[in-house]
Amino acid sequence: MKWTTPLLSAVFALVFISTPATADEPLTMELIQRISATSTELGPIENRMGEFSDLEAFADYDDPADIMLLSNTKQDQLFEAGLKEQGLYDKAEAILDNQSWDSYGDYIRNKMRIGLLVIHKLKGTELPAAGGEKTAMLLKQMPPSKADIDFVDKNWEKIIPELQAMNRS
């Protein structure tokens, strides 16, 4: 079954690897704010990307979670091809460069990292089955680090407005 959720919404809806993909930058409020700002700026571009499953670049993938299980290099190649296929690459790259991201994949991996941390934070309360099997698989293969978990616990009240801003974009 093909998935029909727009690119960013699909990835963040999991919220947010021949060799598992990683986001290596230390988690800080500045990083979270940069993700939020980038989400706001990229929102109109991503909304125009159409359905992820309709893009030739992603024809071999039935679920957005499958893409997060690829290497960083392969993810970057797929995202670049998808943006180019839609004629959105140059606009997206300008925003990504302005926000100091190495690639669209770098931005998405960090956004996914935040999403998985949110699920980890909430899974014992209101969202015990949030995201289903694929999210559980991602949490198992890409578990949040203790440092990231501690950071989120310590800064949760500051993080919430940034998450709300990301969700609005």
Side-chain angles (χ1 to χ4, degrees):
M1 177 174 107
K2 287 288 186 181
W3 31 283
T4 58
T5 308
L7 171 63
L8 185 57
S9 297
V11 174
F12 194 63
L14 294 173
V15 199
F16 97 185
I17 320 188
S18 48
T19 303
T22 58
D24 297 323
E25 192 170 342
L27 186 60
T28 62
M29 279 309 299
E30 291 78 19
L31 176 62
I32 292 170
Q33 290 164 345
R34 188 166 55 132
I35 294 167
S36 178
T38 305
S39 293
T40 299
E41 287 186 62
L42 282 176
I45 291 171
E46 291 174 326
N47 289 338
R48 291 195 342 240
M49 281 190 75
E51 299 300 330
F52 203 15
S53 61
D54 293 338
L55 298 177
E56 180 64 30
F58 302 101
D60 295 336
Y61 302 94
D62 290 332
D63 189 299
D66 296 334
I67 292 165
M68 297 315 293
L69 299 176
L70 299 170
S71 69
N72 290 359
T73 301
K74 182 63 175 171
Q75 286 177 21
D76 289 349
Q77 291 167 349
L78 286 171
F79 290 133
E80 182 177 327
L83 287 165
K84 285 180 176 178
E85 187 176 332
Q86 293 291 304
L88 300 170
Y89 179 78
D90 291 335
K91 288 181 181 179
E93 273 300 297
I95 292 168
L96 295 165
D97 286 346
N98 185 50
Q99 292 289 343
S100 301
W101 295 106
D102 293 334
S103 65
Y104 187 78
D106 181 33
Y107 156 70
I108 289 294
R109 284 185 291 278
N110 277 285
K111 191 165 184 176
M112 173 63 88
R113 175 183 179 192
I114 299 303
L116 291 173
L117 281 162
V118 168
I119 289 172
H120 185 272
K121 172 85 174 156
L122 300 177
K123 74 178 185 177
T125 58
E126 300 298 316
L127 301 172
E133 291 177 30
K134 289 289 184 174
T135 301
M137 178 191 64
L138 286 171
L139 280 168
K140 184 177 180 180
Q141 291 200 17
M142 300 167 53
S145 71
K146 179 165 178 14
D148 283 358
I149 292 168
D150 291 346
F151 179 85
V152 168
D153 287 344
K154 180 180 174 186
N155 295 286
W156 185 243
E157 293 303 316
K158 294 180 204 171
I159 292 170
I160 290 172
E162 299 301 331
L163 295 172
Q164 292 168 334
M166 281 184 241
N167 200 35
R168 283 191 299 269
S169 56

